[in-house]
Structures are given as structure tokens and as C-alpha cells.
Amino acid sequence: MGNSTAAVDAKGLARALAREVRGEVRFDAGSRALYATDGSNYRQPPIGVVLPRDAEDVAATLGICRRFGAPVLSRGGGTSLAGQCCNTAVVMDFSRHMNAIVDLDPQRKIARVQPGVILDHLRGAAEKFHLTFAPDPATHTHNTLGGMIGNNSCGVHSVMGGRTSDNVMELEVLTYEGERMRVGETPDERLDEILQAGGRRGEIYGKLKQLRDRYGALIRERYPDIPRRVSGYNLDDLLPEKGFHVARALVGSEATCVSVVEAVVRLVDNPPARVLVVLGYPDVYRAGDHVPEVMAYGPVGCEGVDDRLVADMRKTGLKARSLPLLPEGRGWLLVEFGGESREEAEATAHRMMHALAKGREAPTMRLYADQEEQSRVWGIRESGLGATAHLPGQKDTWPGWEDSAVPPERVGEYLRKLRHLLDGHGLGCDLYGHFGQGCIHTRIDFDLKTAAGIANYRRFVERAADLVTSLGGSLSGEHGDGQSRAALLRRMYGDELMRAFREFKAIWDPHWKMNPGKVIDAYEIGDNLRLGTGYAPAEQKLHFKYPADHGSFSEATLRCVGVGKCRREEGGTMCPSYMVTREEMHSTRGRAHLLFEMLRGDLLTGGWRDKHVKESLELCLACKGCKGECPVNVDLATYKAEFMAHYYRRRLRPPAAYGFGYLDLWSRLAARAPGVVNTVTRTAGVKHLLRAVMGIHQGRPLPLYARQTFKAWFAARPVRNEGGPQVIVWPDTFNNHFQPRVLIAAVEVLEAAGHQVIVPGEHLCCGRPLYDWGLLRRASRLLKRNLEVLGPHIRAGVPVVGLEPACAATFRDELLGLFPNDEQAKRLSAQTYLLSEFLTQRAEAYQPPRLGHRAVLHGHCHHKAVMDFDSEQQLLDAMGMDCETLDSGCCGMAGNFGYERDKYDISIACGERVLLPAVREATAETLIIADGFSCREQISHNSNRIALHLAEVLRMGLESEKASSVASRGLNG
């Protein structure tokens, strides 16, 4: 009973599952490591992992686990913050296969879904009928309905429709004993029918009725009557006045009672028009005091933010362009109104603003009706986790008391008392959350590595539980109990209701095998910590210096907090391989977790040569999407380069590493006779041999060397604009040797803007291709040589303009990662620009030429992750272009990645997600713009279009203006 689990024959269990389950069965160390933790403070490697294909697979898995006495845990996106998604059990991951919307009925406003369906997929389908699923946690792009049902999730717009439990109509469930049943609301006559039918279903319903009758009065007395009571089991939904709703009673039970294989959920009307009012107060406490006054006007969302969160964003530069949208204050409420029209929504907003302006302690106010501005303001609130998890020079913060809830009218009082309690324990945090429903979010700088720190953590949460209970609140208002709050439930409910909870679980799970040790008879708060007093990873001799992580690779791997944004299937760049394979090991989170486990060493024992880590990183495109889009800036491109350097230490790398990695040397040789090289590489026998040795896919044509390099072209020209402001054009290997037209166009554009262009005469290279293979010693040498040769220009402050985003990003990113304390490196990094950045930020009085074309713009991954992509769009707008910027993610080429035989299919699949279809659909007159060499290659290989660099588009504009001027003079003459 409780949290004890007997030893299980894991090998025999794995064999039996593999024979009878059609989905994937994975008991290897790598798979167990991937599922050892969730978004919480806890870690428990599972016995094994099953990815069921359908309900029959779930039934088979439960049956076999029952034979072997193995516990079972059902899991969705694995983003839980309370530890309910990790356990020493067989984990069933529903997100991989059981993720369909089975049916959507707009007339009845219901949908039937499988547990692995992503919330935003359901919301997108419902939106076609102006409907939505009201609960919308911040993880809506990638969390699953099954996980929301398990945790009883809420979110910003629960104001419109309540918690997940309020929106569940029916559940189809399987018990550990193999009973499969559909449960929902149970009128008395239906209950009588079930009881008379007997069997295991009748037995369960009979015991539930007895439990309800025995504890009903106590439930009514002790359950907090607040919008966000999530802690404990929903025994109140068994009351007669709530229709003996068995499905809703199971919502929030965190897979401790049943496995859900299908759900019927309610949809609500979604107001098509929204406006946002931001209210500024002297502090967050007074913002909390005014919540009831604001809620009286019926907003569809009411969120709170404190000044510490905003200050932390300013420190990190997060949402820097959005923060000025906040009105004056040190605590804010973000109040959203909906309506059938913008005018209707605005009218309600103005009524509230007018009343507040006349009241006592009137806040500062701003109303935003523009959708883009609203999104920017909401981005401030949604960045809470990213702004607080890892701050330079400050302690890391953790969940553990991150979603307590009180009556909305007591928010201000609770915030004051909570801050006082935190101060008394020497703890710090930012405060934000769903103030309109009394739910407070935070991450606290607990010390989870020392005995004294863990004891302080335990004392704090015990006192915080007493505080929230004294105010009529709930330990959890959204994230559930799991392990982090389960041991505190007695403080909230008392001994008698705890017995009722235990009976409820035993009715469904008499063997105590469904996610044991969570919610009821739970592990202690300090057990199973991911860190704990035993956490002591050996420090490593590293290539990168990890300045943001105290120079520690182990600290870098801890940066991932498990929020799982990298698991979204569309939108943005992160993570391209996951978007294609839908495999956890190909997500940023999965890779970070494997690296953490590698350093820990008890589950993954191969160290820097661990095969599971290597397999995971092989399909990392080093796109840097995670560095730019992960809420905590996990930097897998750097981690991969570091790992590969150690993995191949004193080992020969594959031939492709030397062929692609040393591209600058081979290209320098090829430049002596480019025609001969091109002929040889296209000669049938040599071509096939070269591809076989290098592992290049037959479908990939190799790029042709240009007859004349850019540097040779430039050296033959006279100096232009001598005495004008100088700028260095970086002659990257790709454009210098393969597409010199790009660099030539850039020179002509910069000279037309009045600049004197300088091109280094020496052979220099940033070493970009070296990082993919971990050739970091050579990469460091090349960067040092760049600093030496460019030294006088760097000290003089001469800007460097790169045309290849990957190469410019090397100076902006890798250079500082390798030489964080080198002043010359800092200067070069700060002085490096892409062409669009330079023209919009440094070229004073520059006016781009007009060119009234339609264009499709694809952004290079490194450009979007490391640099300023807005400048690109700004320039094209100024040119009068009708430009569509694609949300295309990674093109899939990623340097050598798209050439490799075993990665070709992934490369093409990445391109086919958005980019390639958009290119093929574009009219012949539409310009295709892509600054990345690899991106242009992917486009030319898989369509009949040639993509242009921005420099070429700007030169087209210059030529067009020149032609118009000549024609005008001719007419006037």
C-alpha cells in the first residue's frame, strides 16, 4: 500500500509487453532517463516506457503490468510541476499516438478527444465555429488534454469557463484491474440501474455512493468555496447537488485511480473581439486589493504582475521592447474584455476605467485594442518562468509553492503575508499569476542541495500551507498536489477527509498500483529530489566557458526546467527535429535531460561517450532555436558541440567531419581551379565514390564553386568612398566561394550608402562548420586569428557586416562562449552586424530604395535566435515591399546536416513543414528572400525557384531607381 513498490522482473515485463503491445515498448536506459523527471523538483527513473497506439494497447499494458505486479503511470506532455509525472512505474506516454480529435460537434458544443491531443489543436479546431476550450494553461501549445484532466488545469481564461473539471462531460477509463467503463453525470435513476447491474462497475459505484453519503456533510463544510480549489480529490462532484458526476470526481486525480483513454469535453463561446486594459498600482499588494472591483465588470481574464518580475526582465533584456507598454506603477493588473465586436469589448473596458478613475487610489491605465500590442503585453505575463528561473548573479529558483490559491477578495492580504513569510525564511521570488481567480504563481530560490536548505524548504511550505488554509484557500490552484504538496493535504482537509481520499483511491485502485506515492500516502516533500544532498556531478574540463552558468556544464544542463515549449508541433523554430519525429529524445528538453543524466552517471553510465546521448544529439540541427525561444535559453547547439568534442577526443571522426568541417581549407584549394573541381565532382564515378565516402545522400547536388571568388573580385577593384565611414564586409566561406554575387551586392549597397568597404586580404574563417563536429580546438584557433588580424579595426570600432547569418552569429555567440573575458572578443561581438541590422541601426540617414514587389521572406534560424530579425522586415517595409514573413522554422538544411545520407529524410521533412510548400505556391513574380546559404540551397534543391539574399533585393532596388532616373531624364530631355 502507499508508496511502496515490490521488485519487478523488468526484463520479463519488457518481453511480455513487446509481444502483446503494438505500440513502442522501451526499457533501455536512455528511454528511462528521458522520463525520469518532469517539470518539478523530483526525479524517479521509471521501470520502462510504453507508447500505446490505442485503448486496446492501454488495456494490454495494464493487464501485463498486473501480471508482473508493476505500478503504472499515465503521462501526457510531462510538464507537471508537482512531481506527478515521474514514478518508479511503467510510464504510458499518450502524446505520441493517442492524440486525435475523434469528433467535434459545434451544435452541442462538445468534442470527443483522445488523451494525447494537444490543447491548441483542439482550440484551433473549435475556433472555426467561434468556440474554445476555456482552460488554457501557459503550456497550451504543447500540453495534452489527458494531462489537463490529470491535473485539473486552469489558465488565464478559466475565468470564462472554469477549471478542466468544470468542462469534462464524460470519461472513458480503464482501471488497473482491467475494468473499462464510460463515466459521467449519474442521475439517481441511472445510478440505480448501474447498482442493479452489479459486476465490478456496480461495485465501484456502490462504494462511491456509500463514500458520498458518509462524508457528504464534511465535504460541504471543509471544501474551500473558491474558483481555484485543485488540491485533493474532487469528492464534492459526487454530491447529489452536483449530479454524482463520476467523471469530474476523477479529474485532478493525477493518474492515481484510472487511466483515461477518451474524454468528452465542453466547448464554450469564444468572444471574437478582445481588448486589454493594463492597470498600474503603487505595488502588487494594492493591485491584489482591487481584484474584486475589477472582476465586477466581467473580464475574460485578469492577471497580476509585480515589479520584481519586471525588474528581472529588464536585467535579462527579456521583452525589453514590450515593458514600456506598462503604465506607471510597481504592480499591475492585466484585464482582458471580450465581445462580439471590438466596440462592445471597448465599451465594457471604458465603463470599468471610468469607474476606477473616480474611485479611491485610482490606478494608472492604458487600453490596448491593437492585437499586436496586446500580444506584446501578454508576453510579459507569459514570460514569468523565463524571467525568474535563471538570473545572472542570483540563485536559481524552483517550484514547490508556485500555485497556491485564495479567495479573490483576499489576494492583497495573502500577498502581503506570503512576502512576510518568505522574508522570514530568507527566500526571494517574483509574484504573478491569475489574480482574478486568486491563484498566485511564483518560483522561489529554495536551496535544494543541502540538508539545511531542504529543511528550510520543508518548514516554509508547511507554514505557507497553514497560511493559505487560514485564508480559506487551496494548496494548489492549478498544478495539482503530486509529491510537492500531497504531504500537506492533512493541514488543509483534516484527518477524516484524508481517510475519505484514501478510500476513494482504494475503490478504484485496490492494489495501490496507479501512480503510487502521489496525492495519497505520498512520498515526503524532501524525498526523490532531482538534486538533494547526494547531487555531486564531477566538474569537467570544458571548451566553452558557460559564463551564464558559473562556468559549469552541470549548471548548464540544469537550465532546463521541463516546461516543454520545445515539444510544440508548429510555430517558431524550436525544435525542428522534434516537430518531424515527435520523439522526446529529439526535443530540447529530452536532450537536456539526457545530458543531466549523463553527468549524474547512475542511469546513463557512458559519460561523454554515452550512446544514448550521442543518438539524441545526432539529429540536433544546431539551429539555436532553443537559445532564442526556450523560456530559460537552453543552448543545445553549444551543448552538442561540447559533447561531440569530448565524444571524439582521441578518436577519428567520420570522413564527413573533415570534409565539411574543414570546408574553408578545401574551398581555398578549389579556388585555384574551380572549373576542374566542379567537373571532377560531377563525373559519375568520382561523384558516387565521393558521396559514398562522405556519407552524402544521392538526392543532394553539391554546390558549384564560382569561377571567381568574391575576394578576387574585390581585390581587382579601386577603392571607393575613400575617407568615408569604414565598414568591413566579412567574406564568409559559403558566399565567397559559392555565391559571390551576394557579397558583391552587399558591397554595392554599402557603397551606395556612402561607406568605404574593407575586405580582409588574409585568409580568415569563423569556423562555423567545425562546431557541428566538435572540432573546437581548431575553431578556437581560427577565432583567435580573426581577433589578431582584425585587431586594429576592432579597436578602432569599425563595424563588421556579415552576409551569412550563421557566420555572423559565430561572432555574436560562440566567440563570447569561448572567450567571455577577452576584451577584443567582446568588442568584435558588439561590432558585428547583419546587413539589415547595420543599415537600420548604424547607417545614419540611409534611405532604402523603393521596390514595389511582392515577396516571401524566410528567416535563418541563427538570425532569429541570436540577432535582430525585425530589422529585415523593417527594411523591406521601407522599400514598399508587400512581404509575407513565413513562420517556417528551420529550413532543414542546417549546413552539412541536409547533405548527410542518414539525415536527408529529416532535412526534407523540416523543409516541407512550411517553407517549401510556400515557395512552390508563390507566383513567378514573387521574390523569395532567404539570407542563409543553406536555406537558399534547400529551396533550389526542392523547387524551381532561386532565392535571393536581402543584399540582392536592395541592389535590385538601386538598379530600379537608377533605371527610373535615366528614363526620367530621357523624357525630360
Side-chain angles (χ1 to χ4, degrees), residues 148-177:
M148 293 180 69
I149 290 167
N151 289 357
N152 201 4
S153 299
C154 303
V156 174
H157 294 106
S158 295
V159 171
M160 291 196 306
R163 304 164 298 172
T164 296
S165 58
D166 301 314
N167 294 278
V168 166
M169 313 300 289
E170 293 180 358
L171 295 176
E172 186 173 350
V173 301
L174 275 161
T175 69
Y176 186 78
E177 293 178 311

Side-chain angles (χ1 to χ4, degrees), residues 302-364:
C302 178
E303 302 290 291
V305 172
D306 78 350
D307 58 322
R308 297 191 187 198
L309 179 64
V310 171
D312 286 342
M313 288 185 179
R314 289 198 173 105
K315 288 176 190 173
T316 59
L318 189 65
K319 302 296 177 183
R321 294 180 181 178
S322 300
L323 294 178
L325 295 174
L326 296 175
E328 184 180 349
R330 295 177 63 83
W332 295 268
L333 293 180
L334 281 57
V335 188
E336 185 179 60
F337 292 94
E340 290 302 312
S341 67
R342 175 171 155 179
E343 291 74 20
E344 180 186 339
E346 281 193 43
T348 310
H350 281 299
R351 281 198 300 274
M352 180 195 72
M353 295 171 74
H354 181 69
L356 294 179
K358 294 192 301 182
R360 186 172 55 86
E361 295 185 326
T364 57

